[in-house]
Amino acid sequence: MVRRRFERGLSLTSKGVLVVAIPVTALLVGMAVFYLLQRQTNDAQTWVEHTFQVRSRIRDAMLQLANVETNLRGYLLTHRDADLKAYLSAREQLPRTIAALENLVADNSQQVTRMHRVENLLGQVERSMDSLSQAPAGQPQPRAEMEADRASLRELRDELSAAQDQEDQLLLQRTEARRAAENRLERTIVAGGIFGLFGGLVAALLFTTSV
């Protein structure tokens, strides 16, 4: 009875406006929600890709550090120019990789602090390695200095490994966040379809009762 009174109280023009407005409103609401959730999904995917980039840079840094050590040892054993050139080439790449890594983790204060420690340790290691590379052939390195070099190298590797571990944890969290965003988006698409269908049915009902 209330519905009939409501329908009788509406002019034909008003009913026509409602017939159009209901499905259009459902469409606009669905589009707005879809846009917001799509942005969340894209942001989550961007962070996942960013984490992969950081992990890749950390692996590059660890590999280059190993190359620096290996090439320096080779030069200390042979004192050949080719080995020295290989050491200097690896030595030149490592600081650039660390700098690029620091730029990538600028959004993470813990990683930025860790990269500062890495840079300080890298400076100590590089100065020691340069001193070794310039030493005369056959001159033994003092034992205390060797132990200090090994300790600095271990600490440098530990810092890079810790950075890798944190990025692994972030990857898990961000992958889960991306999945959650994708699930919300899928549910919204289904709900939007149902809402749009319901709005169409209501509009059709109003139209049929108005004629």
Side-chain angles (χ1 to χ4, degrees):
M1 181 177 296
V2 174
R3 184 173 66 86
R4 291 178 180 176
R5 289 177 180 175
F6 174 73
E7 290 172 355
R8 286 197 296 267
L10 291 176
S11 65
L12 186 60
T13 301
S14 299
K15 291 180 179 180
V17 171
L18 282 175
V19 166
V20 176
I22 291 175
V24 169
T25 300
L27 177 62
L28 292 177
V29 171
M31 289 177 61
V33 175
F34 177 84
Y35 172 75
L36 292 175
L37 291 179
Q38 184 65 54
R39 283 193 61 182
Q40 291 180 7
T41 303
N42 292 340
D43 289 344
Q45 178 62 30
T46 299
W47 280 114
V48 169
E49 293 173 356
H50 174 78
T51 307
F52 275 116
Q53 293 176 351
V54 175
R55 293 170 76 247
S56 178
R57 283 291 185 179
I58 293 173
R59 286 195 297 270
D60 290 343
M62 297 179 76
L63 179 60
Q64 289 171 8
L65 177 61
N67 288 338
V68 169
E69 292 182 78
T70 300
N71 291 324
L72 178 59
R73 287 171 184 163
Y75 174 69
L76 292 177
L77 290 173
T78 64
H79 275 266
R80 293 184 307 182
D81 289 341
D83 293 326
L84 177 60
K85 184 178 179 180
Y87 159 70
L88 293 175
S89 176
R91 161 94 165 61
E92 183 179 357
Q93 293 175 5
L94 185 56
R96 291 201 297 263
T97 300
I98 297 298
L101 180 57
E102 186 174 1
N103 288 333
L104 281 175
V105 300
D107 60 286
N108 188 325
S109 59
Q110 290 183 348
Q111 292 288 55
V112 169
T113 300
R114 180 172 286 116
M115 286 303 106
H116 290 163
R117 292 197 297 268
V118 166
E119 286 183 335
N120 291 333
L121 288 168
L122 181 60
Q124 297 175 19
V125 170
E126 287 179 336
R127 286 190 293 272
S128 176
M129 287 182 173
D130 289 345
S131 177
L132 282 174
S133 67
Q134 296 168 9
Q139 177 178 327
Q141 184 184 16
R143 184 175 182 83
E145 187 175 344
M146 290 177 63
E147 292 300 327
D149 292 344
R150 291 194 183 101
S152 295
L153 284 170
R154 281 196 300 270
E155 193 173 352
L156 180 54
R157 290 194 201 94
D158 289 344
E159 290 290 351
L160 290 173
S161 295
Q164 182 77 47
D165 291 342
Q166 184 172 359
E167 290 303 318
D168 289 343
Q169 294 176 1
L170 286 173
L171 180 60
L172 291 175
Q173 296 171 6
R174 289 168 177 173
T175 300
E176 184 61 31
R178 182 192 62 187
R179 290 197 189 104
E182 290 172 347
N183 290 336
R184 287 194 299 270
L185 182 59
E186 291 173 359
R187 289 194 296 268
T188 299
I189 291 173
V190 173
I194 294 173
F195 185 48
L197 180 60
F198 177 75
L201 291 174
V202 171
L205 180 61
L206 285 174
F207 179 76
T208 54
T209 56
S210 66
V211 294

